[in-house]
Amino acid sequence: MAYAPSSTPSGIHLPDTAHELVKILVAGPFGVGKTTLIDSVSEIRPLHTEERLSEASVHVDDLDGVREKATTTVAVDFGRISLPGGIVLYLFGTPGQERFRALWEDIAYGALGALVLVDSRRIDASFDVLGMVEESGLPYAVAVNTFPDAPRHHTAEQLRTALDLEPTTPLVTCDARDADSSVDALLTLVQHLIDRDPPEHR
């Protein structure tokens, strides 16, 4: 589904058509592409709180599979995207490391759902984040970020089994660098939220 985020003359103010403001978490393990996804879709200049990785973090940040990564989010990424129908998503990218759990819980307050990014090269790195999302009670969708060197032979059912997903949890693939692909993943989450809580039941 091709889609371009709507824009306003200032690039800052909400469009006049906005009537449903929704807080969404973009979650996932360290180095999975959360910052990249928010960058690709945000209609405003994204806010980032990144710091360079240092020798001190070697023992707490697992770089296996992401050796080229030089920075990490230490607080939050923030962006905004306006969708058709007057829905505006406020995107909060959360740190992926266990040591930021308390901060993660604060950021999650008031969110309606989460898009959990997964790297199929290191499925096990997603378990802690999936556990936090499930413990919070937030409905979520899973998007497998298609890194260039990621294996392509996994079927959807194999990924579901590996991630221990419920049958009703949406699972899609996306390229976090591509705006259309990232928006499709977000729309999958939004549709999941609507299906769980149709407007006529609110």
Side-chain angles (χ1 to χ4, degrees):
M1 176 187 302
Y3 173 75
S6 63
S7 59
T8 58
S10 68
I12 297 174
H13 302 292
L14 281 172
D16 294 336
T17 55
H19 65 81
E20 191 86 22
L21 310 181
V22 182
K23 180 179 181 180
I24 295 294
L25 298 187
V26 179
F30 174 69
V32 78
K34 302 180 294 293
T35 299
T36 300
L37 183 142
I38 290 174
D39 273 347
S40 75
V41 302
S42 183
E43 65 195 9
I44 60 173
R45 182 178 179 181
L47 167 70
H48 297 305
T49 53
E50 288 198 313
E51 293 293 340
R52 292 195 63 80
L53 291 169
S54 67
E55 291 298 323
S57 71
V58 168
H59 301 295
V60 290
D61 292 330
D62 183 4
L63 292 175
D64 187 33
V66 287
R67 292 289 175 187
E68 71 284 358
K69 187 167 176 60
T71 62
T72 185
T73 299
V74 295
V76 67
D77 292 319
F78 175 77
R80 188 189 77 202
I81 179 172
S82 299
L83 299 177
I87 298 173
V88 177
L89 304 184
Y90 288 99
L91 304 175
F92 289 77
T94 60
Q97 298 96 312
E98 173 65 24
R99 59 193 168 103
F100 292 115
R101 176 181 282 264
L103 176 62
W104 190 96
E105 292 171 350
D106 287 341
I107 295 171
Y109 182 79
L112 292 190
L115 181 68
V116 180
L117 290 182
V118 168
D119 182 347
S120 61
R121 301 171 301 177
R122 47 194 186 99
I123 292 287
D124 57 342
S126 303
F127 296 155
D128 286 345
V129 174
L130 284 167
M132 286 192 288
V133 173
E134 290 174 353
E135 288 169 18
S136 73
L138 283 175
Y140 66 95
V142 173
V144 179
N145 192 8
T146 54
F147 288 90
D149 61 340
R152 308 289 175 173
H153 58 274
H154 297 314
T155 67
E157 284 309 310
Q158 286 172 329
L159 289 169
R160 282 188 171 280
T161 299
L163 294 166
D164 194 25
L165 299 181
E166 294 290 334
T168 55
T169 301
L171 174 68
V172 297
T173 60
C174 80
D175 182 341
R177 301 165 300 178
D178 180 78
D180 288 340
S181 181
S182 297
V183 170
D184 281 349
L186 289 166
L187 288 173
T188 296
L189 171 62
V190 170
Q191 187 60 56
H192 181 52
L193 298 178
I194 291 172
D195 291 345
R196 287 172 52 95
D197 185 19
E200 62 269 21
H201 292 168
R202 295 176 191 170

